[in-house]
């Protein structure tokens, strides 16, 4: 079987890129795998790509490659939805190259990996292939207008895959997709190679992610201020880059945590850094999955996370392999850190449990789930098509039945207006 993935930019850094490459590598054991990258901006991808995976860049933005000189490159995208926040990064040339690639694609299964790219899959994906949209963002992270666009396009696909059961429930209840199963399948997070699990003795707390508002590193720094007052030997290391870096450094300086709370910059892979820590903490307001949580657990490190929607509660068993605390609650976050700092044996036991629990995200079981999905979608194609057709005709009938009622209301309003004008005269 040949399987293709559509990625925004396989040459950049990001959670969706990393998880797609993990899944592609795992599928290579039994299938032919290809990744179409909408764009290419550098010579080599930042993440390692399995040599068995064929990487196909569609638009090359590097100097001297010619694509940036084409007039379509400077025209706004028409097929990529304007409601997607990445619309400004797309051009008419990307539209045309995506159409060309998909029209000629001979894959048996094609995955889209972000909303706008899933629209390409809906518009141009060959009907002979199983067309599957992956949602690496939460349903509620999309604006109302974008959700309306996605609903129209997702109804034409074969399946929608979410990263968590909670998000699958949200899509099933809030986006009507007749004949399109919404299936939760978590990301693959393979065991890191050459990384010795933490022994829980280092007086280091680690955190990682984009330095963005929603990740709430400001809350983490606030909570660590209390930890630092009671446990002066412990250090906080924050890994990542982003727009909030200057603001976060100002918070560190204002709380006089210099040398205690350190912005370490981006690291890839992150696992060797997690293995140097005894705790990993996430203070996010929301997570569609929570890759860094599993990566930390893979290193035998217990994780403290806010119980935010949607992923952490499906990853962490509170009190067993980590801790869950209320969202936005700095005192609770600090208390959880201090509890585990003060309980060395409990912390190490929790780290061992985390290491074992993380096996749920091994490649084998997740590939099996995908292969079962492919088989089910193949056998249910006719039944799902009939269900979609019935739903489409029912919707059309409802619209027609509403027309006379709307017409009567218009006539009544018009007549009322004229009567009022006559009486006033």
């Amino acid at each position: 079987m040949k399987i293709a993935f559509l990625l925004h930019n396989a040459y950049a850094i990001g959670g969706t890129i990393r998880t797609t490459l993990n899944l592609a590598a795992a599928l290579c054991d039994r299938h032919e795998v290809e990744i179409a990258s909408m764009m290419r901006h550098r010579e080599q991808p930042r993440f390692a790509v399995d040599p068995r995976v064929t990487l196909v860049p569609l638009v090359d933005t590097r100097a001297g490659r010619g694509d940036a000189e084409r007039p379509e490159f400077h025209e706004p995208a028409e097929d990529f939805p304007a409601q997607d926040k990445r619309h400004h990064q797309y051009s008419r040339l990307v539209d045309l190259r995506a159409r060309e690639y998909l029209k000629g694609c001979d894959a048996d299964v094609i995955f889209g990996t972000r909303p706008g790219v899933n629209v390409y899959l809906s518009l141009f994906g060959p009907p002979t292939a199983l067309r599957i949209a992956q949602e690496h963002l939460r349903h509620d992270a999309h604006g109302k207008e974008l959700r309306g666009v996605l609903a129209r396009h997702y109804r034409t696909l074969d399946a929608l895959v979410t990263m968590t059961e909670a998000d699958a429930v949200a899509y099933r209840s809030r986006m009507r997709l007749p004949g399109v199963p919404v299936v939760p399948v978590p990301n693959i997070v393979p065991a890191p190679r050459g990384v010795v699990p933490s022994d829980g003795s280092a007086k280091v707390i680690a955190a990682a992610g984009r330095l963005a508002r929603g990740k709430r590193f400001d809350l983490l720094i606030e909570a660590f201020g209390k930890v630092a007052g009671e446990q002066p030997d412990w250090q906080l290391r924050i890994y990542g880059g982003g727009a909030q870096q200057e603001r976060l450094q100002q918070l560190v300086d204002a709380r006089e945590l210099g040398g205690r709370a350190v912005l370490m910059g981006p690291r890839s892979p992150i696992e060797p850094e997690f293995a140097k820590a005894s705790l990993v903490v996430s203070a996010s307001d929301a997570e569609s999955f929570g890759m860094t949580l599993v990566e930390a657990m893979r290193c035998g490190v217990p994780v403290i996370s806010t119980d935010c929607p949607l992923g952490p509660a499906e990853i962490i068993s509170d009190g067993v392999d980590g801790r869950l605390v209320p969202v936005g609650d700095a005192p609770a976050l600090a208390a959880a850190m201090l509890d585990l700092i003060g309980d060395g044996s409990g912390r190490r036991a929790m780290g061992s449990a985390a290491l074992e629990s993380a096996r749920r995200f091994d490649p084998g079981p997740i590939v099996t789930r995908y292969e079962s999905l492919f088989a089910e979608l193949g056998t249910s194609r006719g039944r799902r098509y009939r269900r979609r057709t019935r739903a489409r005709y029912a919707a059309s009938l409802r619209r027609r039945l509403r027309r006379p009622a709307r017409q009567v209301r218009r006539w009544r309003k018009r007549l009322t207006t004229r009567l009022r004008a006559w009486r006033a005269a």
Side-chain angles (χ1 to χ4, degrees), residues 17 92 118 147 209 258 271 278 306 313 327 392 405 413:
I17 301 165
R92 187 60 184 153
N118 291 333
R147 291 199 298 266
E271 289 91 342
S278 293
T306 50
V327 176
R392 188 167 59 248
K413 184 177 180 181

Side-chain angles (χ1 to χ4, degrees), residues 49-362:
V49 180
D50 191 297
R52 298 170 296 175
V53 174
T54 301
L55 191 54
V56 182
L58 301 188
V59 173
D60 195 332
T61 63
R62 291 176 295 166
R65 300 293 170 165
D67 282 346
E69 280 72 50
R70 296 180 64 90
E72 300 94 334
F73 182 80
H74 302 283
E75 298 172 8
E78 297 176 13
D79 299 315
F80 192 91
Q83 297 82 359
D84 190 306
K85 65 181 180 181
R86 287 189 185 262
H87 180 265
H88 67 283
Q89 299 178 13
Y90 281 71
S91 66
R92 187 60 184 153
L93 183 59
V94 182
D95 284 350
L96 296 173
R97 294 279 173 82
R99 179 198 296 258
E100 181 184 6
Y101 172 80
L102 284 166
K103 292 292 185 183
C105 185
D106 62 349
D108 302 290
V109 180
I110 307 176
F111 284 95
T113 57
R114 66 165 296 109
V117 173
N118 291 333
V119 171
Y120 282 156
L121 183 59
S122 167
L123 291 171
F124 311 127
T128 53
L130 293 175
R131 298 174 300 161
I132 301 174
Q134 283 185 336
E135 272 289 358
H136 292 267
L137 296 174
R138 299 172 297 116
H139 172 277
D140 294 351
H142 302 318
K144 183 178 179 181
E145 290 185 356
L146 179 58
R147 291 199 298 266
V149 171
L150 296 180
R152 293 196 298 274
H153 287 282
Y154 285 3
R155 287 181 192 124
T156 71
L157 300 177
D158 290 285
L160 170 61
V161 171
T162 63
M163 302 300 108
T164 64
E165 174 61 37
D167 204 27
V169 169
Y171 272 97
R172 291 178 195 134
S173 62
R174 301 173 201 170
M175 187 178 286
R176 192 166 179 271
L177 301 173
V180 182
V182 181
V183 184
V185 183
N187 288 319
I188 288 174
V189 186
R193 295 180 180 177
V195 175
V196 178
S198 169
D199 63 6
S201 63
K203 295 183 178 181
V204 174
I205 300 166
R210 287 180 299 106
L211 303 185
R213 286 188 181 275
K215 298 295 185 181
R216 295 306 311 271
F217 289 111
D218 58 332
L219 188 79
L220 175 56
I221 291 169
E222 179 186 346
F224 180 72
K226 178 173 176 55
V227 173
E230 298 188 26
Q231 296 287 344
D233 293 338
W234 282 71
Q235 183 186 63
L236 172 65
R237 298 175 184 173
I238 298 175
Y239 298 93
Q244 292 286 300
Q245 181 166 344
E246 183 177 348
R247 175 173 175 264
L248 294 175
Q249 186 60 58
Q250 289 172 353
L251 287 175
V252 169
D253 296 340
R255 293 180 176 276
E256 298 182 348
L257 293 172
R260 306 283 308 284
V262 185
L263 303 181
M264 306 291 291
R267 295 287 193 281
S268 181
I270 190 63
E271 289 91 342
E273 305 306 324
F274 282 162
K276 298 172 186 175
S278 293
L279 291 175
V280 169
V281 181
S282 170
S284 292
D285 284 339
E287 288 286 353
S288 55
F289 177 67
M291 278 287 291
T292 57
L293 307 184
V294 185
E295 288 168 335
M297 294 166 74
R298 281 290 196 187
C299 299
V301 182
V303 178
I304 299 170
S305 174
T306 50
D307 190 9
C308 63
L310 295 162
E314 295 187 24
I315 294 171
I316 298 169
S317 296
D318 188 29
V320 178
D321 50 25
R323 292 282 300 274
L324 294 170
V325 301
V327 176
D329 191 335
L333 199 61
M337 286 189 277
L338 287 168
D339 283 350
L340 291 180
I341 287 172
D343 182 7
S345 60
R347 185 174 68 245
R348 285 186 283 274
M350 200 172 273
S352 298
L355 190 61
E356 182 61 31
S357 177
R359 297 183 190 277
R360 292 173 289 156
F361 305 98
D362 281 346

Side-chain angles (χ1 to χ4, degrees), residues 362-413:
D362 281 346
I366 294 174
V367 166
T368 298
R369 290 173 69 170
Y370 272 113
E371 290 176 332
S372 297
L373 176 62
F374 302 157
E376 194 281 328
L377 293 176
T379 57
S380 66
R381 223 169 193 165
R383 182 171 69 253
R384 290 183 292 103
Y385 174 78
R386 289 190 293 273
R387 184 179 173 190
R388 280 199 299 266
T389 301
R390 286 196 299 270
R392 188 167 59 248
Y393 282 132
S396 176
L397 180 60
R398 285 193 297 271
R399 286 194 299 271
R400 291 179 182 178
L401 290 173
R402 283 197 297 265
R403 284 176 189 168
R406 286 198 299 268
Q407 189 68 44
V408 168
R409 285 195 296 271
R410 283 197 294 269
W411 287 340
R412 184 179 296 162
K413 184 177 180 181

